[in-house]
Amino acid sequence: MKDMMTYLPFLIPVAIIELALAVTALIHVLRHKNYRFGNRIFWVIIVLVVEIIGPILYFTIGKGDD
């Protein structure tokens, strides 16, 4: 427990950034219909299950032209 308290100042900002990135990616997935790869259900699952990497993958390889 003491080790976790040592890393807490680092973990809180990382968790906030991850949550903001996931929410932003999820909103974008739900509002748009065009994807370079996959479909809406695929990207919702990737964004929600794969934590920080999922939203990054969506914005780099999945997001279609607006």
Side-chain angles (χ1 to χ4, degrees):
M1 188 62 137
K2 185 177 179 182
D3 291 334
M4 187 173 182
M5 296 303 285
T6 310
Y7 295 113
L8 200 58
F10 173 73
L11 293 176
I12 290 175
V14 169
I16 291 171
I17 290 169
E18 190 275 325
L19 182 64
L21 192 59
V23 168
T24 304
L26 188 61
I27 289 171
H28 195 276
V29 167
L30 295 175
R31 287 188 178 171
H32 295 86
K33 296 177 182 172
N34 298 329
Y35 311 100
R36 279 189 263 172
F37 175 75
N39 59 18
R40 181 175 287 167
I41 295 170
F42 172 78
W43 284 113
V44 167
I45 292 170
I46 293 297
V47 165
L48 293 178
V49 173
V50 187
E51 308 264 333
I52 282 181
I53 304 298
I56 292 171
L57 283 174
Y58 172 70
F59 285 122
T60 57
I61 67 170
K63 182 179 166 189
D65 298 329
D66 290 334

